Amino acid sequence: MAKLKEALTVLNVSIDRIGNARSLLTDEAIGQSGRTVTDGLMKLRDCSSNARQVATERHPENDGRSRAFQEEPSGEN
């Protein structure tokens, strides 16, 4: 009976350690995912502002806007 209690104690300790490791891994995975998403959004933001700047430099008359968003002169419909 004593050996069985000792084995159960060792098993409980092992289960607690696995649970703690799982929590740490989950927290780390969530943190890494958050950093990856943040980095992607920052790159996307930088990319779109760089694209606007390039478009403005190429076509300063329309401030980088596409033709779809430019106003048509008032007699050309």
Side-chain angles (χ1 to χ4, degrees):
M1 192 65 145
K3 284 188 175 187
L4 182 58
K5 284 185 180 184
E6 184 180 333
L8 284 174
T9 300
V10 170
L11 179 61
N12 282 333
V13 168
S14 296
I15 289 172
D16 288 343
R17 289 177 69 193
I18 289 171
N20 289 336
R22 180 177 173 222
S23 292
L24 290 173
L25 289 172
T26 301
D27 290 347
E28 183 59 33
I30 290 169
Q32 181 63 41
S33 296
R35 288 186 293 275
T36 300
V37 168
T38 299
D39 290 347
L41 290 172
M42 296 296 275
K43 287 178 183 177
L44 184 61
R45 183 189 69 179
D46 292 344
C47 178
S48 66
S49 66
N50 287 340
R52 263 194 310 274
Q53 183 178 1
V54 168
T56 302
E57 289 170 0
R58 287 185 187 165
H59 304 286
E61 67 279 357
N62 64 11
D63 297 329
R65 294 175 290 161
S66 72
R67 299 181 109 211
F69 295 107
Q70 295 177 20
E71 293 181 22
E72 292 185 19
S74 61
E76 299 182 13
N77 284 340

